């Protein structure tokens, strides 16, 4: 049984499928992401992530300990996409800062301490 089939019994997990980026929070505001292009997928048992920043594919390592979460060795392809480059750049910047996560309903929230950085939807 995959995570999708288990969700009714155990709730949604990090490994649930693709998490689509919906908001990027910065110091004094947030950016609502309308187009579903950027996503992250977790393979926590293997300690890996992969996804797309809106233009470029990326991957890296993930360490999960309870609700503590950190990413390392993030790499990506290097294409330039004028329409979404600023979103992708900010997404990758915020991803580097993440220290913990929360799953609320059908949303994944990534934080640096108590500061919300990124919000995803299933």
């Amino acid at each position: 049984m995959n995570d999708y089939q288990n969700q009714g019994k155990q709730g949604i997990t990090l490994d649930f499928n693709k998490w689509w980026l919906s908001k990027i929070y910065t110091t004094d505001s947030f950016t609502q992401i309308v187009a579903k292009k950027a996503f992250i997928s977790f393979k926590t048992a293997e300690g890996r992530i992969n996804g797309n920043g809106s233009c470029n594919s990326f991957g890296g390592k993930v360490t999960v300990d309870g609700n503590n979460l950190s990413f390392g060795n993030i790499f990506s392809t290097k294409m330039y996409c004028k329409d979404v480059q600023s979103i992708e750049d900010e997404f990758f910047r915020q991803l580097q800062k993440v220290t913990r996560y929360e799953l609320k309903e059908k949303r994944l929230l990534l934080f640096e301490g108590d500061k919300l950085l990124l919000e995803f939807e299933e």
Side-chain angles (χ1 to χ4, degrees), residues 22-94:
S22 59
K23 291 180 184 169
I24 300 174
Y25 293 84
T26 53
T27 304
D28 53 1
S29 65
F30 72 88
T31 303
Q32 181 80 40
I33 310 301
V34 180
K36 281 194 170 185
K37 290 183 180 179
F39 72 88
I40 190 169
S41 293
F42 292 82
K43 292 185 172 133
T44 55
E46 299 170 20
R48 295 185 313 128
I49 56 163
N50 70 319
N52 190 291
S54 287
C55 176
N56 289 286
S57 298
F58 72 92
K61 293 185 178 183
V62 65
T63 303
V64 181
D65 181 13
N67 276 40
N68 294 322
L69 179 76
S70 62
F71 300 108
N73 298 336
I74 295 176
F75 61 89
S76 73
T77 55
K78 300 291 183 192
M79 295 182 294
Y80 179 79
C81 300
K82 181 180 177 185
D83 294 343
V84 294
Q85 197 63 52
S86 63
I87 291 169
E88 180 170 280
D89 291 346
E90 191 61 39
F91 176 32
F92 288 159
R93 267 193 296 279
Q94 297 296 66

Side-chain angles (χ1 to χ4, degrees), residues 4-5 19 25 42 44 97:
Y4 186 76
Q5 293 165 319
W19 289 101
Y25 293 84
F42 292 82
T44 55
K97 300 176 188 177

Side-chain angles (χ1 to χ4, degrees), residues 90-106:
E90 191 61 39
F91 176 32
F92 288 159
R93 267 193 296 279
Q94 297 296 66
L95 211 53
Q96 302 274 354
K97 300 176 188 177
V98 171
T99 60
R100 70 180 185 89
Y101 77 97
E102 291 180 15
L103 292 170
K104 289 193 174 180
E105 297 165 0
K106 296 180 179 186

